[in-house]
Amino acid sequence: LLCATALGPTLSCVSPRAAQREMRRLLFLGLASFITASDDVLLSDVLRDASEERDGQWRGFPPVALVDVGSSACWRSFDQVEVLSRRPELTKLQECLQEVGFLTFVQRHYTKVVPLNDTTDGVGRLTSALFYLPVCGYAEGFLATAESLYYRTRYGEEVGDIADKNGFLTARDRVLPTLKSTVRRLLSQVDDGQVFLIAPHPRVLPSWKSELVRIQTLAIDSTIYGHPGQVTIPVSIRSELCPSQVPSPQNTSRPILLSAVGREKRKKGYSAIRPRVAQIFSLGQAAGAYQDVFSGMHIGSDAYDSAFFQSKFCLILPGDTLATSQSTRAMCGGCVPVFVISEPRELPFQNVIDYRQFSVRIRPSKVMQSEGMLELYSRLQSMVTSGAYEDLYEGVMKVRSYFNYSNFGPTGPYAAIIASLVRENERRSAEVW
């Protein structure tokens, strides 16, 4: 049923008292992270050590047990899925690379395989490990449904009214129920926080009616099915949208002060934000203001892609939910993100990277008002003049690799996933016996 994999370095152990002292420090950092600044953009010792790779060894990483989930396992490689995402009818697939990417990461870096013959000897010896369920929902739902839509579209059939046309609900209904017995077996011997899965979309997350709600889940958003065991991760994008080199912060390279782009979302919880922002900037530009702002909801794909590389600041506007590929695009493009959020915990990897060092945060109510938007615009202008913008740009350059799902190294998102899980489990251990 199970096989265990272990990364080169051994798991470092600390005394309970030392762990509690460290957790109090981390909790203070978390509570103060939006009040005072710190010198280090990384809040995780695991990531700091991993970024100092020595002889292929990453210090501080725990062992990871790869759970055999049978027919629900990922059956395509990361490269195959990324190629499929370039099809016009499968573009949504580019936002589902997290789960197959993490499996690729495990296979590349956790090379030592130890069979688990029985629960007593096997799982018992890995009580400090993380247990990963490599469930690829796109395989059972997304691709199967989308492939059929592809042929329907080719032959002129209307697909707009088909229920679950992206296959997310199909994936949830087909895949998650098959994991119950496996999860029940694991949770009888290890802590809830040690077992985790990665969901490509909030609609694939376990509901409150499922036993799987007890385990840790990593997802791009908690708006639809959120629970305390969830860790927020970035939305994935294609590798060509995250190049190794990006334009400098100078005016000649980035003539746009602020970009605010995105398609209109209808009948959604955040549907009013994008059209209102576009209206504020449109009226202001008609009156001669906001001339260095690029805004709109009906722009071409090329202009949309290039905006993240030509702008100093990028306003990250919620789409269907708070999760949007705009945050990943901004980081990959070297554009300082301006997050429209009410709760900092919704930010990806917020417990291991310090968002004060590379971003601006603003409440949704502010961007819905002309006065609030003018105040934001003036603040961004002053940040460019004072040099604060360049400091934030440097912060973006330090952590942008953690948003690039094509990076399988120690400074990539998969390493940040493990660091986030470690820190979350440390928090739990400090608060619950």
Side-chain angles (χ1 to χ4, degrees), residues 24-267:
R24 284 195 293 268
R25 182 183 73 84
L26 295 177
L27 287 173
F28 173 78
L29 285 175
L31 292 172
S33 63
F34 283 78
I35 302 175
T36 58
S38 64
D39 295 329
D40 196 345
V41 70
L42 298 180
L43 301 176
S44 165
D45 290 335
V46 172
L47 283 187
R48 293 190 193 99
D49 292 341
S51 62
E52 298 175 0
E53 186 175 4
R54 298 177 182 177
D55 301 325
Q57 303 291 303
W58 299 355
R59 296 183 300 167
F61 272 66
V64 172
L66 184 64
V67 182
D68 182 4
V69 294
S71 62
S72 299
C74 304
W75 53 278
R76 292 180 188 264
S77 69
F78 179 88
D79 293 336
Q80 287 176 326
V81 176
E82 189 172 34
V83 169
L84 285 171
S85 73
R86 294 186 175 92
R87 289 185 181 182
E89 73 282 357
L90 292 176
T91 54
K92 191 69 175 177
L93 195 57
Q94 68 175 297
E95 299 179 6
C96 301
L97 298 173
Q98 305 95 329
E99 47 187 0
V100 66
F102 189 84
L103 179 60
T104 301
F105 166 81
V106 170
Q107 293 170 336
R108 289 186 183 183
H109 296 290
Y110 286 69
T111 55
K112 184 180 179 182
V113 177
V114 180
L116 297 182
N117 298 321
D118 59 76
T119 58
T120 302
D121 182 52
V123 177
R125 289 186 291 105
L126 292 171
T127 54
S128 298
L130 298 173
F131 293 84
Y132 168 48
L133 304 173
V135 181
C136 286
Y138 67 82
E140 289 290 333
F142 186 96
L143 278 185
T145 308
E147 288 282 359
S148 65
L149 290 180
Y150 169 62
Y151 291 105
R152 293 183 183 184
T153 306
R154 283 185 62 185
Y155 292 105
E157 293 187 29
E158 178 60 45
V159 299
D161 295 330
I162 295 179
D164 192 30
K165 62 182 179 180
N166 286 327
F168 292 129
L169 295 180
T170 304
R172 184 192 66 191
D173 295 340
R174 288 183 182 177
V175 176
L176 296 185
T178 66
L179 304 178
K180 288 184 178 180
S181 60
T182 300
V183 170
R184 189 180 299 115
R185 175 183 176 186
L186 286 171
L187 295 184
S188 67
Q189 301 187 58
V190 301
D191 185 73
D192 299 7
Q194 293 178 242
V195 186
F196 71 99
L197 61 81
I198 299 174
H201 189 274
R203 300 185 79 176
V204 188
L205 287 171
S207 72
W208 63 272
K209 298 180 180 180
S210 170
E211 289 181 87
L212 273 67
V213 77
R214 291 178 55 190
I215 69 175
Q216 293 226 58
T217 56
L218 295 103
I220 59 175
D221 189 80
S222 61
T223 303
I224 300 178
Y225 297 113
H227 60 85
Q230 186 167 318
V231 175
T232 304
I233 59 177
V235 179
S236 60
I237 59 175
R238 297 193 308 274
S239 57
E240 60 264 28
L241 298 177
C242 204
S244 58
Q245 300 294 326
V246 297
S248 71
Q250 305 304 318
N251 288 334
T252 54
S253 301
R254 296 183 181 272
I256 302 172
L257 174 66
L258 175 67
S259 68
V261 294
R263 294 180 302 168
E264 183 177 3
K265 300 292 184 177
R266 300 180 182 275
K267 299 180 180 179

